[in-house]
Amino acid sequence: MQAGVQLSISNRQPPIANPRLVVKLGGSLLVDPAFGELLQLLAVSGPTMGVLVVPGGGPLADEVRRLDRRFCLGASSAHWMAILAMDQLALFIADQAPGAVAVTGPVEVEAALHDGLLPVLAPSVWLRAADPLPHSWAVTGDSIAAWVASALRAEALVLLKSVPGDVVPLTPGAADGVVDEFFWQVVPPSLSVWLADGREPQTVARLLDRLSLATCSSAPGPEGGRGVRCDRPGRRRRAHPQDRYPGPPTRAGRRPGERRPAPR
């Protein structure tokens, strides 16, 4: 499988994909100066943690909204146009993030993770086949990411948005104005939902580390006990994001914790 902008197409039929984490990447983050750093973090930590990225529609979906206001588009036309905007951003992210590949459904998600790549979902093919959500602006990329996480039986959904503040777990009573109005109708009770400021990659790294520890701790251990290993057959042991993501360089050109080189 080649990483890049070409959609992954596979004739393999592995078991239904079950990524541990679904990360919804808000489209507003594209214009943030730290966006490249955030992609680097996901590219480094995502494949070993079983991450699936679901992009928002960003400025492309905003353009669909403007067209809808001007021309009064039909509900289904606006719905699928906005979802195609997510496809385009999936191709963009797959082009920009090292080791990322655009995928269109569960089989390709599993194949990408098996190959050590970061899957980025272009959802239109899957959603066209299943058509599980109302054709309405009440449904945004957040609800689509929640439906995907539920369908793949993920353990957690992380919403990365341009919102200030600490990392918080989201609950229906505390999420007004943060997610769309249909969101909680597709979130199963077993799915934990987290909100983080995607403009702060170090904060995102700490959240991924926290979730990795939580999911590893609940994994079955030897002889039916509980363990901390997150290995899967044919795959590397799961790493924590900060193991290989040292953070941005400082002004002196060194990363946090990196020693000054000895003088020559």
Side-chain angles (χ1 to χ4, degrees), residues 106-138:
V107 171
E108 294 174 6
V109 172
E110 178 73 9
L113 290 172
H114 183 271
D115 291 344
L117 300 173
L118 175 68
V120 184
L121 183 65
S124 67
V125 172
W126 190 6
L127 293 178
R128 274 283 189 180
D131 202 9
L133 301 170
H135 298 184
S136 164
W137 286 115

Side-chain angles (χ1 to χ4, degrees), residues 124-158:
S124 67
V125 172
W126 190 6
L127 293 178
R128 274 283 189 180
D131 202 9
L133 301 170
H135 298 184
S136 164
W137 286 115
V139 172
T140 68
D142 292 343
S143 283
I144 292 172
W147 180 85
V148 167
S150 176
L152 297 180
R153 299 186 295 279
E155 297 170 12
L157 170 63
V158 176

Side-chain angles (χ1 to χ4, degrees), residues 24-133:
K24 161 62 185 346
L25 198 58
S28 63
L29 297 171
L30 268 70
V31 298
D32 189 81
F35 183 68
E37 188 182 335
L38 178 62
L39 290 186
Q40 179 67 25
L41 165 65
L42 293 173
V44 166
S45 61
T48 57
M49 293 182 63
V51 168
L52 167 65
V53 173
V54 177
L60 302 178
D62 290 341
E63 187 60 33
V64 176
R65 288 178 183 270
R66 283 191 286 270
L67 289 172
D68 188 21
R69 285 194 296 267
R70 180 176 178 183
F71 297 104
C72 296
L73 300 173
S76 291
S77 295
H79 178 74
W80 295 117
M81 289 168 69
I83 289 172
L84 287 170
M86 297 174 68
D87 278 10
Q88 293 183 69
L89 289 190
L91 293 169
F92 170 75
I93 293 168
D95 178 77
Q96 296 294 304
V101 61
V103 297
T104 61
V107 171
E108 294 174 6
V109 172
E110 178 73 9
L113 290 172
H114 183 271
D115 291 344
L117 300 173
L118 175 68
V120 184
L121 183 65
S124 67
V125 172
W126 190 6
L127 293 178
R128 274 283 189 180
D131 202 9
L133 301 170

Side-chain angles (χ1 to χ4, degrees), residues 164-254:
D166 296 331
V167 171
V168 293
L170 284 186
T171 58
D176 292 344
V178 177
V179 295
D180 63 66
E181 57 190 86
F182 194 76
F183 180 80
W184 293 108
Q185 298 185 47
V186 290
V187 174
S190 60
L191 181 68
S192 65
V193 182
W194 296 81
L195 174 68
D197 188 349
R199 300 169 298 182
E200 300 291 342
Q202 288 285 3
T203 299
V204 176
R206 288 191 292 271
L207 173 59
L208 295 181
D209 184 57
R210 176 179 179 178
L211 293 175
S212 176
L213 289 172
T215 56
C216 287
S217 297
S218 63
E223 299 179 359
R226 312 308 293 177
V228 297
R229 290 179 63 83
C230 288
D231 301 344
R232 289 185 184 179
R235 295 183 59 190
R236 300 187 298 273
R237 182 183 182 276
R238 296 187 183 277
H240 301 317
Q242 290 175 318
D243 290 344
R244 293 185 294 158
Y245 178 72
T250 64
R251 290 185 179 180
R254 300 187 303 278

